[in-house]
Amino acid sequence: MRQSPANRILILIKTDGPQLAAAIGDALGISGEAARQQLSKMAEEGLVEPVTVVGAGRGRPRQLWHLTASGNRQFPDGHAELTANLLGTLVEQLGPAALDTVISAREAETLQRYRQELGKAHDLASRVEALAGIRTREGYMADHWQEADGSFMLVENHCPICAAATACAGFCRSELETFRAVLGADIERSEHILRGARRCAYRITPH
């Protein structure tokens, strides 16, 4: 994605969630008014929309800018419609067991590849960092950090296989098991795109 002002705004909202125009201006190094003008143009194109939030304090309500469905489609989707149709046909023609076979084969291949790439990471912190890098390269816009209690967070701001995962939750379950295997840690999914969250988030703690 080229780094035009509009694309920078799309990425900012995608990774950090709904934003005030002033905050977008600060992030882009432009005035709040310039950010509002850019947002208005993007709204006309159907990429973003404002949602009015009434705060607890005095003053006029604030507007938080969200991505629309069209805005979200600006990010890689892994050929969503084709994937969903192929999965539907697979189940229809060969039955659920065939889909389970496909998911298991994908999990085995992914697990082997991830283990090779994480082979030089000798502690949990470095493994989480390496995994976040792999997932970002695969289109998941991943981020990671360590919490005050010593646990780690892995956050994926985008899901390029969302259509496939929607068609079969087995893909999500398989990815969670893969993470547990390559990190050698306990992992809980605390946010899930398929359950309406804007991102998938995983809390990682040592065994």
Side-chain angles (χ1 to χ4, degrees):
M1 181 180 290
R2 295 176 59 191
Q3 294 298 300
S4 67
N7 284 337
R8 291 175 65 193
I9 290 172
L10 287 174
I11 292 171
L12 176 64
I13 299 176
K14 183 72 170 174
T15 54
D16 291 351
Q19 299 283 314
L20 294 168
I24 291 173
D26 288 343
L28 270 61
I30 60 178
S31 68
E33 181 57 34
R36 276 186 283 274
Q37 291 176 2
Q38 182 66 52
L39 288 162
S40 294
K41 180 180 178 182
M42 293 171 66
E44 291 175 1
E45 297 170 354
L47 300 174
V48 298
E49 61 183 357
V51 176
T52 300
V53 178
V54 180
R58 293 180 296 177
R60 63 182 182 180
R62 302 184 302 169
Q63 284 189 328
L64 284 174
W65 290 86
H66 296 240
L67 294 186
T68 62
S70 179
N72 274 301
R73 285 196 295 270
Q74 303 306 304
F75 296 87
D77 66 359
H79 307 290
E81 185 175 357
L82 174 61
T83 302
N85 288 339
L86 285 174
L87 290 175
T89 301
L90 178 68
V91 173
E92 191 176 295
Q93 298 294 322
L94 301 177
L99 183 55
D100 291 339
T101 299
V102 170
I103 293 172
S104 296
R106 179 179 182 271
E107 181 177 341
E109 184 276 329
T110 301
L111 182 58
Q112 180 182 11
R113 179 162 48 84
Y114 284 10
R115 277 179 168 160
Q116 289 176 346
E117 295 203 43
L118 269 63
K120 296 181 180 180
H122 299 301
D123 57 35
L124 184 56
S126 57
R127 288 196 297 273
V128 171
E129 181 179 8
L131 181 59
I134 294 170
R135 298 293 284 182
T136 292
R137 292 200 307 271
E138 293 179 348
Y140 290 85
M141 300 178 67
D143 196 4
H144 71 285
W145 62 85
Q146 187 168 15
E147 300 277 58
D149 63 2
S151 65
F152 296 88
M153 291 298 298
L154 174 67
V155 168
E156 297 181 340
N157 294 290
H158 181 61
C159 179
I161 64 161
C162 193
T166 301
C168 178
F171 282 102
C172 292
R173 184 175 61 251
S174 172
E175 286 187 338
L176 185 57
E177 292 305 319
T178 298
F179 291 172
R180 286 171 175 155
V182 297
L183 294 179
D186 295 322
I187 304 179
E188 175 190 359
R189 185 188 282 117
S190 57
E191 298 178 57
H192 197 186
I193 290 174
L194 293 191
R195 293 187 177 178
R198 69 172 184 83
R199 63 187 188 178
C200 287
Y202 305 86
R203 180 174 295 277
I204 302 161
T205 54
H207 285 315

